[in-house]
Amino acid sequence: MHRIRATLRHALNIAIKQDRLIDFNPAAVVELPDADRPKALVWTDERVADWNRDLQDRLDVEQQRRGARLSRASMINVYASVPRPSPVMVWTPSHTYTFLAQAATHRLSALYRLIALRGLRRGEAVGLRWKDVDLAAGTAGVHWQITQLGWEPVQGRPKTEASDRTVALDEDTVSALRGHRKRQAAERLAAGEAWTNSGFVFTDEIGGPLHPQQVSDHFYQLAFQVGLPPVRLHDLRHGAASLMLAAGVDLKVVQETLGHVSSTFTRDTYTSVYPEVARAAAESTAALVNTAAAGAQTARLITLPNHT
């Protein structure tokens, strides 16, 4: 409702300023209750166990309803539809490693690395172009994206000025991109005259740009195959922010890597605290007090006057 109001307010402002069709914007005075962003939660062992029980119950019900063994597609649909503790769920570092290991042999493995570790949006990863990638310098320029309008893919510039950025790449991701380029060259030879020289890093088997939904579909299949609890593809972006902060990366660097206008938005929206990081912070805090307590045992902090 808030997004609808914002769209209407913007459209009516244009009607006032450019077309002079109206002289008052009614959407500007519409009041709505506050809308809180869903809180990102980490898939802890306890949450995974509870969700797994729900998944098995739903699979049993679906199998009894159909009276036959479920197909793989049906199982994935049930897997993706089981309610989660929060609309936004984040994998632990171990979960992310497991997924990337599973995806390593997939033709889009490098794309998933960019989303999981560098926090690219789906459209930005799909829209990445070779001319904007410098493997020698270890950088990728995010200057293009492919999004969906309904079902139709739409090519265009990143959503904001801050989203138009250059992202640093780790050595393993550079190696993955080198391997992907070799694979793409082999596909080009196999396609022959059918090849489309689109210039995109990630393409279909004949060089055409990918449909964004195709990337999401493959993602769910890979996660399901390796038995991971479900997250949305966009949730890998939340996980990337959490991984960077857990690794000690400065918040400003995380903000610029994700392409946000402000670090406040990054902190409030895209970060989750891993249980092990929270425990380490608690232990560090207690250790600081314990160190001070040890010193206090050998020296009095205040000399009290003698009273007779």
Side-chain angles (χ1 to χ4, degrees), residues 110-111 114 128 130 133 135 140 169 172-182 201-202:
L111 180 149
L114 286 170
L128 191 65
W130 279 120
V133 176
L135 295 181
L169 306 175
D172 288 342
T173 299
V174 170
S175 296
L177 284 169
R178 291 187 193 279
H180 175 76
R181 187 166 59 181
K182 291 180 180 179
V201 175
F202 303 105

Side-chain angles (χ1 to χ4, degrees), residues 231-247:
V231 298
R232 302 172 305 165
L233 180 59
H234 189 73
D235 291 341
L236 289 189
R237 184 168 159 84
H238 291 259
S242 298
L243 286 169
M244 284 186 272
L245 290 171

Side-chain angles (χ1 to χ4, degrees), residues 177-211:
L177 284 169
R178 291 187 193 279
H180 175 76
R181 187 166 59 181
K182 291 180 180 179
R183 186 184 304 111
Q184 192 178 68
E187 291 177 345
R188 180 171 186 170
L189 287 175
E193 294 183 357
W195 180 263
T196 300
N197 191 22
S198 65
F200 289 107
V201 175
F202 303 105
T203 65
D204 59 23
E205 288 80 355
I206 57 172
L210 293 172
H211 192 293

Side-chain angles (χ1 to χ4, degrees), residues 14-269:
I14 293 175
I16 293 173
K17 295 177 182 179
Q18 296 182 5
D19 303 326
R20 300 186 182 280
L21 298 175
I22 56 176
D23 56 10
F24 169 70
N25 189 338
V29 297
V30 174
E31 295 185 3
L32 293 175
D34 293 338
D36 296 327
R37 293 181 179 274
K39 181 179 179 180
L41 297 178
V42 178
W43 272 118
T44 60
D45 291 343
E46 182 178 2
R47 289 172 181 150
V48 172
D50 290 341
W51 178 86
N52 263 324
R53 284 191 288 270
D54 289 343
L55 173 63
Q56 292 303 317
D57 290 343
R58 287 176 179 252
L59 287 173
D60 292 342
V61 170
E62 188 67 13
Q63 186 166 344
Q64 292 175 5
R65 186 180 71 83
R66 292 175 179 246
R69 185 172 181 177
L70 295 178
S71 66
R72 187 178 199 76
S74 297
M75 293 177 69
I76 293 176
N77 286 336
V78 175
Y79 162 83
S81 65
V82 175
R84 305 160 199 182
S86 170
V88 182
M89 297 301 298
V90 178
W91 280 336
T92 66
S94 178
H95 290 149
T96 302
Y97 172 83
T98 300
F99 170 76
L100 292 177
Q102 174 70 10
T105 58
H106 193 276
R107 63 185 303 274
L108 299 180
S109 60
L111 180 149
Y112 294 123
R113 280 192 67 89
L114 286 170
I115 297 176
L117 300 182
R118 296 285 77 201
L120 268 65
R121 300 176 179 90
R122 180 181 68 172
E124 295 170 345
V126 174
L128 191 65
R129 297 180 294 184
W130 279 120
K131 72 175 186 177
D132 298 323
V133 176
D134 187 339
L135 295 181
T139 60
V142 181
H143 309 309
W144 204 252
Q145 67 174 354
I146 301 177
T147 55
Q148 286 182 225
L149 182 58
W151 177 254
E152 292 300 316
V154 178
Q155 299 182 20
R157 295 290 181 178
K159 61 185 295 186
T160 65
E161 183 177 347
S163 298
D164 194 310
R165 64 201 188 278
T166 298
V167 177
L169 306 175
D170 61 280
E171 292 184 5
D172 288 342
T173 299
V174 170
S175 296
L177 284 169
R178 291 187 193 279
H180 175 76
R181 187 166 59 181
K182 291 180 180 179
R183 186 184 304 111
Q184 192 178 68
E187 291 177 345
R188 180 171 186 170
L189 287 175
E193 294 183 357
W195 180 263
T196 300
N197 191 22
S198 65
F200 289 107
V201 175
F202 303 105
T203 65
D204 59 23
E205 288 80 355
I206 57 172
L210 293 172
H211 192 293
Q213 187 58 46
Q214 181 182 2
V215 175
S216 294
D217 292 342
H218 286 307
F219 168 72
Y220 271 116
Q221 291 170 14
L222 289 167
F224 174 79
Q225 288 169 5
V226 77
L228 287 169
V231 298
R232 302 172 305 165
L233 180 59
H234 189 73
D235 291 341
L236 289 189
R237 184 168 159 84
H238 291 259
S242 298
L243 286 169
M244 284 186 272
L245 290 171
V249 178
D250 184 80
L251 182 62
K252 182 65 175 176
V253 176
V254 178
Q255 170 212 329
E256 293 176 350
T257 301
L258 295 177
H260 289 155
V261 175
S262 71
S263 57
T264 301
F265 181 83
T266 305
R267 182 192 63 229
D268 294 345
T269 307

